[in-house]
């Protein structure tokens, strides 16, 4: 009985990472090199390093797809993926409602207001947890524009998830 219980516990511990997020061909734990290799088939217009732990890829403004992804790494392992979607508060409400229906009440809600060079920046972010994953939606309202992104994160040693 004790051996069976130990085997079951070991199996559960080994299965935990398998629950973590996978979006398309991007999954947590990939190295930066693996992400860059996978991105070659996506034909993004621009790739920029963001600090030592980020990689931003996006299409030029005149591109019809308008894709924009942000990959965040911790110790050369992918720990977060953000995908921008068409910014509209109505879309934020739909995404948040869908997550709430799937995962219940949000684990964390971040309302934030700050002053930037050309006025006020308002942020509303909501995060849900499923196993080791954090899924979230962020809506940012700037004086002359808005931004909406979906995020997938996993706990790591570099910063506290979700953020």
């Amino acid at each position: 009985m004790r051996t069976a219980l130990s085997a079951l516990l070991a199996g559960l511990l080994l299965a935990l990472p398998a629950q973590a997020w996978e979006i398309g061909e991007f999954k947590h734990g990939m190295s930066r090199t693996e992400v860059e290799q996978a991105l070659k088939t996506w034909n993004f217009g621009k790739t920029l390093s963001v600090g030592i732990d980020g990689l931003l890829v996006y299409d030029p403004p005149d591109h019809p797809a308008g894709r924009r992804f942000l990959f965040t790494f911790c110790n050369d392992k992918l720990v977060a993926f953000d995908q921008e979607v068409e910014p509209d508060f109505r879309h934020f409400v739909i995404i948040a409602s869908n997550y709430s229906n799937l995962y219940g009440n949000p684990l964390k809600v971040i309302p934030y207001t700050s002053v930037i060079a050309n006025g006020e920046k308002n942020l509303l972010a909501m995060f849900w947890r499923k196993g080791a994953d954090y899924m979230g939606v962020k809506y940012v309202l700037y004086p002359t524009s808005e931004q909406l992104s979906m995020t997938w994160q996993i706990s790591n040693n570099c910063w506290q998830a979700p953020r």
Side-chain angles (χ1 to χ4, degrees):
M1 179 76 166
R2 187 173 292 207
T3 306
L5 183 59
S6 296
L8 178 63
L9 279 173
L12 288 174
L13 288 175
L14 290 173
L16 281 178
Q19 295 177 358
W21 57 266
E22 184 172 340
I23 311 299
E25 60 240 72
F26 307 108
K27 59 185 175 183
H28 85 283
M30 291 177 77
S31 71
R32 187 180 189 118
T33 304
E34 290 173 319
V35 169
E36 289 171 345
Q37 188 65 33
L39 282 168
K40 288 181 180 179
T41 62
W42 285 73
N43 298 320
F44 278 96
K46 194 79 166 162
T47 301
L48 296 172
S49 288
V50 180
I52 59 169
D53 65 348
L55 183 64
L56 176 67
V57 294
Y58 60 94
D59 290 319
D62 60 339
H63 194 281
R67 302 167 300 171
R68 189 170 173 154
F69 295 169
L70 174 63
F71 300 90
T72 306
F73 301 89
C74 174
N75 301 320
D76 194 44
K77 298 294 180 201
L78 183 60
V79 294
F81 172 75
D82 288 54
Q83 177 181 5
E84 282 192 29
V85 294
E86 185 179 347
D88 187 319
F89 191 72
R90 183 172 43 99
H91 297 159
F92 171 83
V93 171
I94 291 169
I95 294 167
S97 176
N98 288 339
Y99 279 152
S100 289
N101 287 334
L102 288 170
Y103 308 115
N105 290 331
L107 169 75
K108 185 174 185 178
V109 177
I110 303 171
Y112 179 75
T113 299
S114 64
V115 177
I116 56 175
N118 61 344
E120 195 173 80
K121 170 186 171 183
N122 297 288
L123 164 82
L124 180 56
M126 303 172 89
F127 297 92
W128 291 262
R129 185 172 188 166
K130 179 183 176 195
D133 295 351
Y134 296 98
M135 291 86 46
V137 59
K138 300 175 188 177
Y139 178 77
V140 185
L141 182 61
Y142 298 101
T144 59
S145 65
E146 56 190 329
Q147 181 181 12
L148 178 61
S149 61
M150 297 185 308
T151 183
W152 293 268
Q153 303 172 12
I154 191 160
S155 294
N156 61 81
N157 297 337
C158 299
W159 42 269
Q160 184 177 350
R163 68 170 184 178

